[in-house]
Amino acid sequence: ALTIDPRQFYTHLYQCLMQLCTREGQNEVTLTAECLDMMLRKRRQVSTQRVLSFVKRLTTVSLHLDEAESSLALLNEVRSFMRLYSCAGGLLDSDIVTSGVFQPEVADPEYSHANCTSLWELTLLAQHYDSKVSKSAKQLAQGT
């Protein structure tokens, strides 16, 4: 069997997620969701830091998208990851004290310290103009 370390691909996709915020990038949300599905949901050997980083990045990007359908698609991915990886639920609690500082500009998701932040974006998304996005964000914030 051929064993390949997908770290470079994870790192590249993590960096490219912010490009979804552009008009051209919003057309790629479906493809991005499929990549994330294959990388994080179908592979069970994913580090906690990597999962937390991708969940945080997805909520950040969903806050900046113009199209409600795109935001909703990314929030659905976040929901899937939170169900699959219980560690992601810690991002919903802003009272957890950790050592370190979240560094969203770091290229490698392993070193962004996503465990040192919360999903504050959900508070803003709960006020979204689209009722489906708002409802989804509220449900995510409640852990459902």
Side-chain angles (χ1 to χ4, degrees):
L2 181 62
T3 305
I4 299 172
D5 180 19
R7 185 176 184 163
Q8 282 184 313
F9 189 70
Y10 281 112
T11 301
H12 183 70
L13 181 61
Y14 183 73
Q15 293 170 350
C16 289
L17 284 176
M18 290 307 287
Q19 294 174 8
L20 292 177
C21 297
T22 65
R23 285 237 177 255
E24 299 79 27
Q26 289 190 37
N27 298 328
E28 306 299 327
V29 169
T30 304
L31 179 60
T32 302
E34 289 175 17
C35 287
L36 288 166
D37 184 52
M38 291 181 68
M39 289 173 46
L40 298 173
R41 290 202 337 216
K42 293 186 178 168
R43 290 183 59 104
R44 297 295 294 173
Q45 303 147 341
V46 181
S47 73
T48 299
Q49 282 298 325
R50 188 172 288 161
V51 170
L52 296 177
S53 295
F54 273 96
V55 167
K56 178 64 175 176
R57 179 67 52 100
L58 287 172
T59 56
T60 300
V61 170
S62 66
L63 181 63
H64 291 89
L65 294 175
D66 291 335
E67 296 178 15
E69 297 83 23
S70 298
S71 292
L72 192 58
L74 293 185
L75 289 176
N76 286 335
E77 286 298 313
V78 169
R79 177 175 284 105
S80 295
F81 297 142
M82 293 183 94
R83 286 183 182 153
L84 192 58
Y85 298 98
S86 59
C87 62
L91 293 174
L92 296 174
D93 190 357
S94 60
D95 294 332
I96 293 178
V97 177
T98 58
S99 61
V101 176
F102 175 55
Q103 299 174 353
E105 71 281 355
V106 172
D108 191 336
E110 291 289 333
Y111 303 108
S112 70
H113 300 287
N115 61 310
C116 299
T117 189
S118 65
L119 297 179
W120 57 265
E121 296 89 349
L122 294 177
T123 303
L124 296 177
L125 286 164
Q127 306 302 316
H128 199 274
Y129 70 89
D130 186 90
S131 62
K132 291 178 185 175
V133 173
S134 175
K135 181 179 178 181
S136 181
K138 288 174 186 174
Q139 290 173 340
L140 271 171
Q142 294 171 354
T144 58

